Amino acid sequence: MISIKSAREIEIMRRGGKITSKTLTTLMAAAKPGVTTGQLNQLADESIRSMGGVPTFIGYHGYPAAICASVNDEVVHGMPGDRVLQDGDLLSIDIGTTFEGYVSDSAVTVAIGNVDEAAKRLMRVTQECLMLGIEQMQVGNHLGDIGHAVQRHAEAHGYGVVRALVGHGVGRKMHEDPQVPNYGNPGQGTLLRKGLVLAIEPMITEGTWEVATLEDGWTVVTEDGKLAAHFEHTIAITDQGPKILTLRDVAEHPDVARYRPSEEVAA
Ligand code: MF3
Ligand code: CO
């Protein structure tokens, strides 16, 4: 069942989304060579709680941490711990906050120290995929328009689109209907309505889109061991278009400057 949020609910989710985005900004600055993923998790837990939120992921199907920290070929759901981040690593940080009963969910992939051009390109294109998907969140569009926009951009650059995991509705629960695949056909699927809030989260790979889960039961990795990137926002559909509830401070982070398809360059 798809739930439609009132303006009042969206305002609560925007306030919660600020906790998520501010915490993510803090983690992005702290993610440096020599830091462990466990330390980032500790920082996230403290940051979320200091602003009156609760880390959504803790206890979710038994998940023990406030963030997912997925390195290099790990796509999503990497568990934070003793792993020391190395210069050249690609780190995906996924975080969720519950605030006044509503969830916001967001993720970024960041470079640890200096990464090569191939990694930079994968990060850039994945973030562009997210923005192109968000741009389709217009009243009267269909769910397939979102997935199509993401898939088209990723595949135009020769990348893979992970199929096994999808975006989702978000609200009182982290995972609500509908599922939001990062692939699809224009004009197909659920009609997009005002008040629908979605977490769009392209998971894009350098090589094959096939993934596997490690023995820990959580960590999802690429089958071919190549890199993956993951960006996610929580977004509400309004009469004025999509409203990103987890937008980070653009002044601090020019990487979130809005991507426009007209700026698209050949692969
Ligand atoms: N945030 C993830 C998502 O986008 C889910 C995290 S799984 C958890 O759907 F176990 F860590 F909570
Ligand atoms: Co999500």
Side-chain angles (χ1 to χ4, degrees):
M1 197 199 64
I2 292 177
S3 96
I4 293 297
K5 277 79 181 176
S6 67
R8 189 192 66 86
E9 289 177 295
I10 290 172
E11 176 55 20
I12 294 170
M13 292 184 75
R14 190 193 62 76
R15 288 167 58 208
K18 263 271 169 274
I19 301 175
T20 298
S21 63
K22 282 187 175 173
T23 300
L24 210 37
T25 299
T26 300
L27 299 183
M28 289 167 85
K32 295 256 178 349
V35 171
T36 69
T37 54
Q39 287 171 326
L40 294 178
N41 181 63
Q42 183 63 32
L43 202 55
D45 193 281
E46 289 165 9
S47 168
I48 291 171
R49 294 184 197 279
S50 76
M51 290 183 270
V54 173
T56 309
F57 295 2
I58 297 178
Y60 182 83
H61 291 279
Y63 191 77
I67 63 168
C68 300
S70 310
V71 184
N72 297 333
D73 63 322
E74 298 175 355
V75 184
V76 288
H77 304 167
M79 238 182 271
D82 295 335
R83 183 169 185 159
V84 180
L85 295 169
Q86 309 288 329
D87 186 67
D89 279 345
L90 213 54
L91 172 68
S92 298
I93 309 168
D94 191 346
I95 181 173
T97 301
T98 305
F99 175 75
E100 293 188 7
Y102 290 86
V103 175
S104 56
D105 191 3
S106 188
V108 290
T109 299
V110 291
I112 303 301
N114 298 299
V115 301
D116 61 23
E117 285 306 313
K120 282 185 191 160
R121 180 170 173 270
L122 177 66
M123 283 194 292
R124 173 177 64 78
V125 172
T126 304
Q127 191 164 31
E128 289 167 356
C129 284
L130 172 58
M131 290 305 167
L132 288 167
I134 291 172
E135 213 152 49
Q136 293 301 317
M137 289 182 64
Q138 309 286 344
V139 173
N141 273 6
H142 292 77
L143 207 61
D145 295 319
I146 298 172
H148 179 72
V150 171
Q151 180 178 22
R152 187 166 168 265
H153 192 62
E155 292 181 353
H157 289 79
Y159 292 142
V161 174
V162 172
R163 309 289 202 271
L165 298 135
V166 296
H168 48 93
V170 54
R172 287 202 170 270
K173 289 188 296 169
M174 176 159 65
H175 293 144
E176 297 185 349
D177 288 337
Q179 294 200 347
V180 186
N182 293 302
Y183 52 89
N185 297 312
Q188 290 191 6
T190 304
L191 185 66
L192 301 183
R193 291 172 52 193
K194 172 184 169 179
L196 189 58
V197 182
L198 302 176
I200 301 188
E201 49 180 316
M203 287 153 270
I204 305 299
T205 59
E206 236 187 339
T208 181
W209 53 264
E210 306 253 25
V211 296
T213 305
L214 298 185
E215 309 80 70
D216 63 14
W218 283 102
T219 315
V220 176
V221 296
T222 57
E223 283 234 332
D224 59 9
K226 293 190 177 175
L227 294 178
H230 178 213
F231 283 84
E232 177 177 25
H233 271 309
T234 295
I235 311 106
I237 298 180
T238 76
D239 283 331
Q240 289 79 44
K243 185 177 166 91
I244 302 176
L245 305 178
T246 48
L247 193 64
R248 294 181 298 283
D249 189 334
V250 175
E252 281 174 58
H253 289 277
D255 62 320
V256 297
R258 191 144 165 70
Y259 174 73
R260 301 209 163 272
S262 57
E263 291 165 11
E264 191 160 1
V265 289

